[in-house]
Every structure is written in structure tokens, then in C-alpha cells.
Amino acid sequence: MRPSARWLVTIAGLALLAGGAIAAGRLALRGRTAAVRADNAAGDTTCLSCHGEKGSFEQTAHRLTSRPATRDAIAGSFTQGANVLRTSNPALHFRMDSTATGFFETAVTGRAPDTAMRSERIDFVTGSRKGQSYLYWHAGDQLYQLPVSYWTAVGWVNSPGYPDGTPYFERPIAPRCLECHASGFQAVTADPAVINRYRRTGVMLGITCETCHGAGRDHVGRERSLLHAVLPPAIVNPARLPRPRQLDGCALCHAGVAAPRTPAFSYVPGQPLERRVEWLARSDTGAIDVHGNQVALLERSRCFRSSLMTCATCHDVHRQQRDLVEFSGRCLSCHAAQSCGLFTRHGQSLVGRCVGCHMPALTSKTILSTSRGHDIRVQVRTHWIKVYPQFQVP
């Protein structure tokens, strides 16, 4: 064999070996996306450095569902007179204070001058639209809910489920609660009897990009590598997942009560959610409350069962969506306004009203707050799409 031929064979062999190595590497690295943690996270700022068109996500209810306590984050008023919650107990009221050292809830018991007070700092804010609750650290690493919450258009109220007229500060925050309001807390399991102990470092507040896309540090490293064209991206694009897996990503927090099978914050986007939780209320088993069960209600709907729709058919999680007319436009992508039984009476005025009639805001039976002995129940838009005669256009 001539030297030139041997050289070509050698080059071809090296190319095959290199190609095989790359292919083996791709196979070995495939599926490496992990649940996000403080030590494998890239962070939203890094994500947006390449995906700047998604910057509106930072102002969404998901992203702001938990935040550090700042004056801008807390919706309630600290103005004198507006910062007091009276209770059904004339010897108890709560006062919300803003000081140079932070924000506080104080229970004032007794009648002046013989009063006793207990104050706790507001450390975290949870919730952003309909209302907020507040969390505080106690004994160094234990997280509790504060007794006073805030409902939009109502004001300061007793936190949901808290007894009116009692200075109660002892509701522990379990990991499963945090999982739907944050992207990462590391539980401390030294004492199994204490469910609300967490490391105070490495906390990731709000629902971040990586909650739905998986940990991004490896993805960023590969995209910045000279080999990024041949390396797998090591990130999940939910839009490319099969329909059941797309729904799972939302169902983690929007499909009812679930008993965890694995530790909180261990869900990996794209994996079957049943590996993570055992559903207690997702199946179609009668009355489903409108709070926290949106996927279960959607799965009941004829629209869902007769199409390939997912949550993303109507929701763009990367931006705020409040316009019911815009949402109704999604309905008209499959339905004609003329097909509505009320069209002969109302004509084109029905356009933009689909959601109000077919997905009305209903009162939740599971979220109950009280204010001076009066019950306050939140209304949540149902995701069971159907005809509700009582909400039809008059």
C-alpha cells in the first residue's frame, strides 16, 4: 500500500474513532438533566443572558410566588391605622410594623396598660396576586407561617386556617408546601419529628427557569464549549415533551393533594410525576375544589378529552396574562362564535366572553380566612371547561 493510501486510511480510522467517541459521549450524557439545586443551578440571570426574549418571566406570578420581605414585595399597608388587624377577641389585635431593622407582625394581648406582646420578623413573602402569606425563621433554622396574611381588596386577615382571636404562631412550613412556592430549600433531617428545619443558605425563592427546565449549570457549560454543536444540550424544553409529561410539569403544583414518594425538590422535568408523588385527588372522583386542582379539572373537560391541548395551549408562563379577552381568543381557535347557543341573541358581542361563561371564578371551599368573625373565601377560576347556565351572558 502506498504511503498516501496508508495516511488516508489512518485519517479515516481516526475520524471513525472520534465520531464513535462523540456518539458514545452523547449517549452517556443524554438524560443528565437533574432537579435544580443551589450547587447545580445557573440562575435566571444567566438564562436570560442568552434568552433575553423571556425576560418578562421575571414579573410573573410564578416567579414572584416567594420573595425576601421588602417594602415593594409586601402588599399590605404599614401606615398607622391601616396596619392593625382587629379580631373577634376584644383583648387581642395584631399590628404590622415597618422599622429600620425589618418588617414585623406583633400580637398585642390584653388591655392597656397591661398588655403582652409577641413580635416575629417577616422573612419571606409568599403569593403575589390574590393574596399573600408570610413566613418567619424561629430557633435558627425552623420555618413557620405568621398569623396574619393579606387578601387583595380585603386587607389584613387571619392566615387561612388560623383560629380567629388567638395569637397563634406555630404552624410549621413543610417541605411539600415550599416545593410549590420556591425552587429550592435544603431540609435538615437531624430530628425526623421536626418537619420544618432548613438550611438558611442556598435558598432559591420563587419558581425559577430551572424549576421547569432542569438544572442549567451543565447546559450553560456545554453551550459555551467549542463542542456545543455536537454535545446534547442537557436541558429540558417542556414544549418538546410528550403530552402527559408536559402536564406533569404543571401538575406537580396544580393537581391537588399528593403524598410525596421522594424528598421535596427532587422532581426532574420530563420524568413521570408518579415517581415523585402519589396522587390523592387528581383522579376524577367527584367534587374537586377549584384551588390547586387546575390540571384535574382540565382533564375532566370535553375540550381536553377531544383534543391534544395542554396547559400551554392557553398559558404562556413566560409572561403575565390577565386579559380574559385574550384567553377567550384561544377558545375561538377551535370554536366559532356562531356555534354558541347564545349567538342568535347576542351576536358578535359574545366574542371575548368565552372564559367568563365557560370558566367562571368559583368560591374555594378549602381556603378560608376570617376577619373579626366573618369568613373570607377566595375565588379561583375553574379549569373545568363546560356550560355554566348561571354564568351565561344575560
Side-chain angles (χ1 to χ4, degrees):
M1 183 180 294
R2 290 180 300 175
S4 58
R6 287 197 296 270
W7 178 247
L8 290 174
V9 170
T10 301
I11 292 176
L14 290 174
L16 287 172
L17 287 173
I22 290 173
R26 289 176 64 90
L27 287 173
L29 293 170
R30 186 175 299 167
R32 286 279 300 275
T33 304
V36 63
R37 304 183 307 272
D39 62 356
N40 66 8
D44 280 11
T45 300
T46 301
C47 297
L48 294 175
S49 67
C50 290
H51 303 282
E53 74 280 4
K54 306 298 185 184
S56 56
F57 172 70
E58 297 300 294
Q59 300 305 315
T60 62
H62 281 100
R63 186 65 185 90
L64 301 177
T65 193
S66 64
R67 291 174 276 173
T70 65
R71 189 63 198 89
D72 289 339
I74 300 173
S77 174
F78 292 94
T79 304
Q80 186 173 1
N83 66 333
V84 174
L85 172 65
R86 302 289 176 183
T87 72
S88 58
N89 179 354
L92 171 68
H93 69 272
F94 293 94
R95 189 181 69 238
M96 276 52 71
D97 295 313
S98 172
T99 74
T101 60
F103 306 92
F104 297 85
E105 291 190 6
T106 300
V108 182
T109 307
R111 299 181 184 276
D114 299 319
T115 58
M117 293 189 292
R118 176 178 176 180
S119 292
E120 297 291 352
R121 176 191 298 272
I122 300 175
D123 289 307
F124 298 130
V125 178
T126 63
S128 63
R129 288 179 54 196
K130 297 181 182 295
Q132 297 179 331
S133 282
Y134 309 99
L135 313 182
Y136 74 99
W137 289 111
H138 179 69
D141 61 2
Q142 296 179 34
L143 204 57
Y144 290 89
Q145 183 182 22
L146 284 160
V148 179
S149 293
Y150 179 87
W151 282 121
T152 303
V154 176
W156 299 111
V157 297
N158 291 298
S159 292
Y162 272 48
D164 187 23
T166 302
Y168 186 69
F169 284 79
E170 281 68 48
R171 172 178 283 178
I173 300 299
R176 177 64 179 140
C177 297
L178 288 175
E179 190 172 32
C180 291
H181 288 278
S183 295
F185 272 80
Q186 186 176 354
V188 176
T189 57
D191 182 357
V194 182
I195 64 170
N196 61 329
R197 293 185 64 193
Y198 307 95
R199 297 189 187 281
R200 296 182 65 153
T201 57
V203 171
M204 295 183 290
L205 296 174
I207 301 303
T208 65
C209 303
E210 292 160 281
T211 302
C212 299
H213 292 276
R217 188 183 62 182
D218 286 350
H219 168 68
V220 171
R222 294 177 195 190
E223 290 301 301
R224 292 175 175 174
S225 166
L226 295 176
L227 298 176
H228 69 89
V230 297
L231 291 173
I235 203 76
V236 173
N237 183 344
R240 296 177 181 173
L241 294 174
R243 185 193 193 197
R245 300 293 79 79
Q246 290 188 45
L247 292 169
D248 281 349
C250 301
L252 177 66
C253 295
H254 293 282
V257 179
R261 287 173 168 160
T262 60
F265 301 105
S266 61
Y267 172 67
V268 179
Q271 291 187 354
L273 189 56
E274 285 73 14
R275 297 181 186 178
R276 165 74 186 91
V277 295
E278 179 180 358
W279 291 109
L280 304 180
R282 189 178 179 184
S283 59
D284 191 354
T285 56
I288 299 178
D289 193 79
V290 288
H291 172 68
N293 288 277
Q294 287 86 353
V295 173
L297 289 165
L298 179 65
E299 290 175 338
R300 282 184 164 198
S301 307
R302 182 178 176 183
C303 288
F304 177 87
R305 294 178 175 178
S306 60
S307 73
L308 295 177
M309 72 181 298
T310 67
C311 304
T313 301
C314 299
H315 291 283
D316 179 355
V317 297
H318 297 108
R319 64 184 179 92
Q320 296 188 70
Q321 292 179 293
R322 302 286 186 271
D323 188 352
L324 295 185
V325 174
E326 179 188 358
F327 277 122
S328 295
R330 305 296 177 91
C331 302
L332 296 179
S333 65
C334 293
H335 303 277
Q338 293 82 352
S339 66
C340 178
L342 301 177
F343 185 81
T344 55
R345 192 189 323 167
H346 296 282
Q348 290 297 323
S349 66
L350 291 174
V351 175
R353 297 169 138 188
C354 307
V355 171
C357 287
H358 298 285
M359 300 178 65
L362 303 179
T363 301
S364 171
K365 297 178 182 178
T366 62
I367 304 180
L368 172 64
S369 290
T370 57
S371 178
R372 304 192 74 171
H374 298 287
D375 290 349
I376 299 173
R377 294 186 183 273
V378 66
Q379 286 200 319
V380 180
R381 192 162 299 283
T382 182
H383 281 63
W384 188 358
I385 308 167
K386 66 174 184 175
V387 174
Y388 294 84
Q390 68 273 36
F391 291 101
Q392 288 185 3
V393 177

